[in-house]
Amino acid sequence: MSNPIIRTGWIVLCCAFLLNACTKPDQQADLPPVGKSTETELVTISLQGRITDQQAAPVAGAVVRSGNHVTTTDINGNYRFSSIRVKPNSGLVEVSGNGFFREYKGFEVMPETEHYVRMQLEPLNSGIRFASVSGGSFTLPSGSGVEFGPDAMAEAANGQQYAGTVQAYAFSKDADEPGFYGVIPGSKGRDLQNKSVSIQFISAVVTELTGEAGQQLQLKTGKAATVRFPIPATRQTNMAGAISLWYYDPISTEWKEEGQGYREGKFYIAMGPQFSTWAVGTSLPASPLKASVTDITGEAFSFARIQLYTADGKQLLGSPVHTNNKGDLLM
């Protein structure tokens, strides 16, 4: 993260989110947790937030999961977890709702406090269907897309070869589009040398694959998909011929560098071996930020929305984040 500035013009408005926090009790569900941790490795936090669609309308009944804990959103799109056990460094919120893509959002954990995570869901498009044995391609309105080779599918639950019909959904966004960072899980990652970095994104492509019985599918081990990433119109004159390819790992809650994408006209073309959220972008050394936000009387601003920009104020640096219930920020 390079020379960031903080804009806090939304603080007064965003504090009102606390007034709408739902009081629905936590629910346990028979869903496998994302990643495994022993109880001694975990810390206690509380967590709340709101789930909306791209028009800011609440999404009711969405399934929200963090660690081993599951609940659903209320009629206003709000959810809440009380005194849950999570990993000590980074938390993750996973959301799925009927008619929407499954999405993730990472957050920095501050033990024994209450966190706020808000997310916007992307609606599922009409998608395409193709036979797994022959493969298929999906071209999006932006010209970006994904191409799957023959016999490349496996069932996500057990890794077994899948030979039936595939239902594929996908969408792409570039960094100049409104809402881009609303669908990006975070900006921290690990490069090929396993160094902690902060990523400045160019664009992303998100794909969901299901089988005939509705089961989740993934790329079979040893297979890859060809992914075409759009280059924002404002950046086409100065982008390099090659750029880093990243996939999001919900277990580590970080992006992982996975080779490179190569420029062809208005797009970067890359081979993605992971079934995941894919993105292309450049990296900078990670620079953690800690802050406390108060009003002029010294009172903490709980759940204030914070957005980082580059020093010239022209580019966003990652997704908006919220302070915790004590007004503290860690990112």
Side-chain angles (χ1 to χ4, degrees):
M1 196 173 296
S2 177
N3 297 322
I5 60 174
I6 303 177
R7 292 187 178 178
T8 57
W10 297 305
I11 286 179
V12 175
L13 293 176
C14 291
C15 284
F17 293 162
L18 178 59
L19 301 178
N20 295 321
C22 74
T23 58
K24 191 179 185 103
D26 300 351
Q27 299 178 358
Q28 297 295 326
D30 295 328
L31 295 175
V34 178
K36 296 181 179 180
S37 297
T38 64
E39 185 69 15
T40 57
E41 293 175 331
L42 305 180
V43 297
T44 301
I45 65 167
S46 294
L47 174 66
Q48 63 169 293
R50 191 166 188 243
I51 309 302
T52 63
D53 62 19
Q54 293 298 302
Q55 283 69 51
V59 178
V63 178
V64 183
R65 183 170 69 183
S66 186
N68 298 329
H69 307 272
V70 180
T71 189
T72 56
T73 56
D74 66 12
I75 193 172
N76 296 312
N78 296 313
Y79 69 90
R80 185 169 187 170
F81 297 103
S82 300
S83 298
I84 61 174
R85 302 283 285 171
V86 299
K87 294 180 180 180
N89 297 319
S90 296
L92 183 75
V93 176
E94 177 185 348
V95 181
S96 58
N98 290 333
F100 296 94
F101 282 86
R102 182 184 302 270
E103 295 188 21
Y104 304 92
K105 184 72 71 175
F107 63 96
E108 298 297 324
V109 169
M110 289 175 275
E112 307 300 331
T113 66
E114 185 160 15
H115 296 259
Y116 189 96
V117 177
R118 182 171 182 169
M119 296 172 63
Q120 286 187 326
L121 302 185
E122 188 77 16
L124 287 173
N125 45 41
S126 58
I128 63 164
R129 295 173 67 86
F130 63 89
S132 177
V133 294
S134 59
S137 61
F138 195 170
T139 300
L140 299 167
S142 64
S144 60
V146 186
E147 182 177 344
F148 302 97
D151 295 317
M153 294 294 125
E155 296 192 20
N158 53 33
Q160 293 183 354
Q161 173 82 37
Y162 176 77
T165 300
V166 178
Q167 174 68 58
Y169 302 97
F171 73 89
S172 70
K173 286 186 181 292
D174 68 54
D176 284 354
E177 290 185 72
F180 174 78
Y181 280 101
V183 298
I184 292 295
S187 58
K188 69 176 184 177
R190 294 275 172 181
D191 64 15
L192 292 175
Q193 289 73 46
N194 199 36
K195 294 180 180 178
S196 181
V197 296
S198 179
I199 306 166
Q200 291 183 303
F201 295 100
I202 298 301
S203 62
V205 173
V206 178
T207 305
E208 283 199 13
L209 306 174
T210 56
E212 295 171 354
Q215 70 271 44
Q216 294 293 315
L217 302 179
Q218 64 184 15
L219 289 169
K220 188 170 64 175
T221 301
K223 296 290 187 176
T226 302
V227 189
R228 190 164 59 252
F229 297 90
I231 300 174
T234 59
R235 310 188 193 193
Q236 289 178 9
T237 59
N238 57 5
M239 293 306 302
I243 196 169
S244 293
L245 171 68
W246 307 84
Y247 75 92
Y248 189 74
D249 178 13
I251 296 177
S252 67
T253 68
E254 291 181 318
W255 292 87
K256 302 291 182 66
E257 189 174 5
E258 189 72 49
Q260 290 189 311
Y262 298 92
R263 185 170 183 176
E264 292 185 10
K266 298 179 180 180
F267 302 92
Y268 281 110
I269 311 297
M271 298 297 292
Q274 304 284 342
F275 173 65
S276 174
T277 297
W278 287 301
V280 289
T282 57
S283 63
L284 295 169
S287 179
L289 172 66
K290 294 182 179 180
S292 294
V293 183
T294 66
D295 62 19
I296 59 174
T297 69
E299 290 293 322
F301 263 120
S302 301
F303 310 130
R305 187 186 184 203
I306 306 295
Q307 175 69 67
L308 295 186
Y309 291 77
T310 53
D312 59 11
K314 295 181 179 180
Q315 292 185 18
L316 299 177
L317 289 174
S319 305
V321 297
H322 292 80
T323 58
N324 65 9
N325 63 312
K326 299 178 180 180
D328 296 327
L329 175 71
L330 177 63
M331 61 186 303

